[in-house]
Amino acid sequence: MNMNIRLPIQFRSNPKKVIMQFFFILDNDRVKRIIERVHGMSEEAAATNLAEVFALYSKRHKKFDKLLIDHYNWVKPNVDENRGISETKKLLVGAYFSKEYSVQSAALFNPSIVAHPEQVVPEAGDLRVVLSFRATGEGHISSIVFREGIIKAKGGIEILPDSPYATLASNKALVFVDHPGSSPELAEANYNIEFSADDELSERIIFPSGPTESNGIEDVRFVRFQEAGKPDIYYGTYTAYDGKRILSQIVQTTDFLRFSVRVMYGKAIRDKGMALFPRKINGEYIMVSRLDGENLHIMRSPDIYNWENSELLRIPHYAWEFVQIGNCGSPIETEQGWLLITHAVGPFRRYVISAILLDINDPSKVIGWLPHPLIEPEEEEREGYVPNVVYSCGVLLHNGILYLPYAMSDSASGIATIKISDVLNALEKA
């Protein structure tokens, strides 16, 4: 039963979007030798080499001069400034300790979607939205990237132009967190970052910058969290990966300009794929998860960072989900209950997307389910880094239509629309 409409929109990796990083060389004697070689150049030769650097790289980065000086300052302790060093040579030294990294050279996938905090729209009834993606580059390191769009009042979605630039946060500050789950090894995992106000949203890259996420920030599930009398907060639960172990962390923001990253802890923080409900229920935060790697669980806590208890919500029932089931982001509140979009894995590790319905007051009760997939990989979507996969990290409801961005075989992403009435009417009720 095909209820979805695939929109003619695809998001594919763009290797031209590069960030400028410091090029670490651990051998300090080697660092000094490189600097000495620049010192030994004539000013004319240094100017010629710097001009070539600018010709090759300056148009690919905003604030290029500043970044070069920042990187010079990293190695400045190795520079004998008593000998004098010109601005030209400082910039050139900075260039030798710089490199480019293409954040999405390998893939752009596992998207989520939320309403934009600033609703400046062309026409009444339009909704401005933020899409987030898992971008994967060299070394299979994943980061968070963004795009903006406008859901039109008459239906459909317009994706706003993507900036050619990619920028990292301009400020980072570690935050001391005093809780039972804190430890010296996790101290640097709690931090705040801030981008420059003139960085467009599609330029901002949340790149791994804590020890727990050194090998990737994976599968962020953003949700707009609302609480009476308080400003909306956007929470994004994600999987931090350091190359050996995974850890559940949460990023939060009110404006997608300033972000706070925190570690979640507790006995129920295991595995991955955690999604927060968009509001408290009976005074508690609620999350769904797949903490045993196979089944859906539900968790409650008065503290958004501390999760001690969980209970089984649903186990696989159908042949197309015998391997495992999980969520595709935070549930959607409807008059009939909480609609949770799910993913499921069947034969040949084939991923599909489906849905279940939870009781509005007690979401630990499953009151309905789709007896068939909602979205399956079509033939042209089957090939990619991980074949036979459709997957999402978040869905949005507007004017009776579900806008469901989804990944295609861990390589690219598209958007499907579904009438929510079609989904609710197709549910088998408990």
Short mmCIF file of all heavy atoms in Angstrom, two decimals, residues 11-32:
data_model
loop_
_atom_site.label_atom_id
_atom_site.label_comp_id
_atom_site.label_asym_id
_atom_site.label_seq_id
_atom_site.Cartn_x
_atom_site.Cartn_y
_atom_site.Cartn_z
N PHE A 11 19.17 15.48 -1.82
CA PHE A 11 20.33 16.10 -1.20
C PHE A 11 21.50 15.13 -1.36
O PHE A 11 21.46 14.02 -0.85
CB PHE A 11 20.08 16.35 0.29
CG PHE A 11 18.86 17.21 0.57
CD1 PHE A 11 17.62 16.62 0.75
CD2 PHE A 11 18.97 18.59 0.65
CE1 PHE A 11 16.50 17.40 1.02
CE2 PHE A 11 17.87 19.37 0.92
CZ PHE A 11 16.62 18.78 1.10
N ARG A 12 22.51 15.58 -2.08
CA ARG A 12 23.67 14.73 -2.32
C ARG A 12 24.93 15.40 -1.78
O ARG A 12 25.00 16.63 -1.66
CB ARG A 12 23.82 14.42 -3.81
CG ARG A 12 22.67 13.57 -4.33
CD ARG A 12 22.97 12.92 -5.66
NE ARG A 12 21.93 11.94 -6.00
CZ ARG A 12 21.94 10.68 -5.61
NH1 ARG A 12 22.96 10.24 -4.87
NH2 ARG A 12 20.97 9.86 -5.95
N SER A 13 25.91 14.59 -1.47
CA SER A 13 27.14 15.13 -0.89
C SER A 13 27.83 16.07 -1.87
O SER A 13 27.81 15.86 -3.08
CB SER A 13 28.08 13.98 -0.52
OG SER A 13 28.36 13.18 -1.65
N ASN A 14 28.40 17.12 -1.30
CA ASN A 14 29.10 18.12 -2.10
C ASN A 14 30.54 18.22 -1.60
O ASN A 14 30.81 18.90 -0.61
CB ASN A 14 28.39 19.48 -1.98
CG ASN A 14 29.10 20.57 -2.75
OD1 ASN A 14 30.06 20.31 -3.49
ND2 ASN A 14 28.64 21.80 -2.59
N PRO A 15 31.48 17.58 -2.28
CA PRO A 15 32.87 17.57 -1.79
C PRO A 15 33.53 18.94 -1.85
O PRO A 15 34.60 19.14 -1.27
CB PRO A 15 33.56 16.58 -2.72
CG PRO A 15 32.71 16.53 -3.95
CD PRO A 15 31.31 16.75 -3.49
N LYS A 16 32.89 19.90 -2.54
CA LYS A 16 33.47 21.25 -2.63
C LYS A 16 33.29 22.05 -1.34
O LYS A 16 33.95 23.07 -1.16
CB LYS A 16 32.85 21.99 -3.80
CG LYS A 16 33.21 21.44 -5.17
CD LYS A 16 32.62 22.28 -6.28
CE LYS A 16 33.02 21.74 -7.65
NZ LYS A 16 32.47 22.55 -8.75
N LYS A 17 32.39 21.60 -0.47
CA LYS A 17 32.21 22.31 0.80
C LYS A 17 33.28 21.85 1.78
O LYS A 17 33.21 20.75 2.32
CB LYS A 17 30.81 22.07 1.36
CG LYS A 17 29.71 22.69 0.51
CD LYS A 17 28.42 22.83 1.26
CE LYS A 17 28.51 23.94 2.28
NZ LYS A 17 27.20 24.39 2.76
N VAL A 18 34.28 22.67 1.96
CA VAL A 18 35.43 22.28 2.77
C VAL A 18 35.61 23.24 3.94
O VAL A 18 35.32 24.44 3.83
CB VAL A 18 36.73 22.23 1.94
CG1 VAL A 18 36.68 21.08 0.95
CG2 VAL A 18 36.96 23.55 1.20
N ILE A 19 36.06 22.70 5.04
CA ILE A 19 36.44 23.53 6.18
C ILE A 19 37.96 23.61 6.22
O ILE A 19 38.66 22.76 5.66
CB ILE A 19 35.90 22.98 7.51
CG1 ILE A 19 36.34 21.53 7.74
CG2 ILE A 19 34.38 23.10 7.58
CD1 ILE A 19 35.94 20.96 9.09
N MET A 20 38.46 24.63 6.88
CA MET A 20 39.90 24.83 7.01
C MET A 20 40.30 24.45 8.43
O MET A 20 39.81 25.03 9.40
CB MET A 20 40.23 26.30 6.72
CG MET A 20 41.69 26.63 6.59
SD MET A 20 41.84 28.28 5.88
CE MET A 20 43.40 28.78 6.58
N GLN A 21 41.16 23.45 8.54
CA GLN A 21 41.57 22.94 9.84
C GLN A 21 43.07 23.16 10.06
O GLN A 21 43.84 23.31 9.12
CB GLN A 21 41.28 21.43 9.93
CG GLN A 21 39.82 21.06 9.92
CD GLN A 21 39.65 19.56 10.02
OE1 GLN A 21 40.31 18.79 9.32
NE2 GLN A 21 38.76 19.12 10.89
N PHE A 22 43.44 23.14 11.33
CA PHE A 22 44.86 23.17 11.67
C PHE A 22 45.48 21.82 11.30
O PHE A 22 44.90 20.76 11.58
CB PHE A 22 45.04 23.45 13.16
CG PHE A 22 46.47 23.53 13.59
CD1 PHE A 22 47.23 24.64 13.27
CD2 PHE A 22 47.07 22.50 14.30
CE1 PHE A 22 48.57 24.72 13.66
CE2 PHE A 22 48.39 22.56 14.69
CZ PHE A 22 49.15 23.69 14.36
N PHE A 23 46.62 21.85 10.67
CA PHE A 23 47.34 20.65 10.25
C PHE A 23 48.34 20.28 11.33
O PHE A 23 49.41 20.88 11.44
CB PHE A 23 48.02 20.91 8.91
CG PHE A 23 48.80 19.74 8.36
CD1 PHE A 23 48.43 18.43 8.63
CD2 PHE A 23 49.91 19.95 7.54
CE1 PHE A 23 49.15 17.36 8.12
CE2 PHE A 23 50.64 18.89 7.03
CZ PHE A 23 50.25 17.60 7.32
N PHE A 24 47.96 19.30 12.15
CA PHE A 24 48.80 18.90 13.28
C PHE A 24 50.01 18.11 12.80
O PHE A 24 49.87 17.15 12.04
CB PHE A 24 48.00 18.04 14.26
CG PHE A 24 47.08 18.82 15.15
CD1 PHE A 24 45.73 18.93 14.81
CD2 PHE A 24 47.53 19.44 16.29
CE1 PHE A 24 44.86 19.65 15.61
CE2 PHE A 24 46.67 20.16 17.10
CZ PHE A 24 45.33 20.27 16.76
N ILE A 25 51.17 18.49 13.26
CA ILE A 25 52.40 17.71 13.09
C ILE A 25 52.97 17.51 14.48
O ILE A 25 53.34 18.47 15.17
CB ILE A 25 53.41 18.44 12.18
CG1 ILE A 25 52.81 18.60 10.77
CG2 ILE A 25 54.74 17.69 12.13
CD1 ILE A 25 53.69 19.37 9.80
N LEU A 26 52.98 16.28 14.93
CA LEU A 26 53.29 15.99 16.33
C LEU A 26 54.78 16.14 16.66
O LEU A 26 55.14 16.37 17.81
CB LEU A 26 52.81 14.58 16.68
CG LEU A 26 51.29 14.37 16.56
CD1 LEU A 26 50.94 12.93 16.92
CD2 LEU A 26 50.53 15.33 17.47
N ASP A 27 55.63 15.97 15.66
CA ASP A 27 57.07 16.07 15.89
C ASP A 27 57.45 17.55 15.98
O ASP A 27 57.47 18.28 14.96
CB ASP A 27 57.80 15.40 14.72
CG ASP A 27 59.31 15.40 14.90
OD1 ASP A 27 59.83 16.18 15.73
OD2 ASP A 27 59.99 14.62 14.20
N ASN A 28 57.75 18.03 17.18
CA ASN A 28 58.01 19.45 17.38
C ASN A 28 59.27 19.92 16.65
O ASN A 28 59.34 21.06 16.17
CB ASN A 28 58.13 19.75 18.87
CG ASN A 28 57.76 21.19 19.19
OD1 ASN A 28 56.71 21.66 18.77
ND2 ASN A 28 58.62 21.89 19.91
N ASP A 29 60.27 19.06 16.54
CA ASP A 29 61.47 19.43 15.80
C ASP A 29 61.15 19.64 14.32
O ASP A 29 61.70 20.53 13.67
CB ASP A 29 62.54 18.34 15.94
CG ASP A 29 63.13 18.31 17.34
OD1 ASP A 29 63.08 19.35 18.03
OD2 ASP A 29 63.63 17.24 17.74
N ARG A 30 60.23 18.83 13.81
CA ARG A 30 59.82 18.98 12.41
C ARG A 30 59.07 20.30 12.22
O ARG A 30 59.26 21.00 11.21
CB ARG A 30 58.94 17.79 12.02
CG ARG A 30 58.55 17.75 10.56
CD ARG A 30 57.70 16.54 10.28
NE ARG A 30 57.11 16.58 8.96
CZ ARG A 30 56.10 15.81 8.59
NH1 ARG A 30 55.58 14.94 9.44
NH2 ARG A 30 55.61 15.89 7.36
N VAL A 31 58.25 20.66 13.19
CA VAL A 31 57.53 21.93 13.15
C VAL A 31 58.54 23.08 13.05
O VAL A 31 58.40 24.00 12.24
CB VAL A 31 56.63 22.10 14.39
CG1 VAL A 31 56.07 23.52 14.47
CG2 VAL A 31 55.48 21.08 14.36
N LYS A 32 59.57 23.02 13.87
CA LYS A 32 60.57 24.09 13.88
C LYS A 32 61.33 24.15 12.56
O LYS A 32 61.67 25.24 12.08
CB LYS A 32 61.55 23.86 15.03
CG LYS A 32 60.92 24.08 16.41
CD LYS A 32 61.93 23.80 17.53
CE LYS A 32 61.30 24.05 18.90
NZ LYS A 32 62.23 23.75 20.01
#
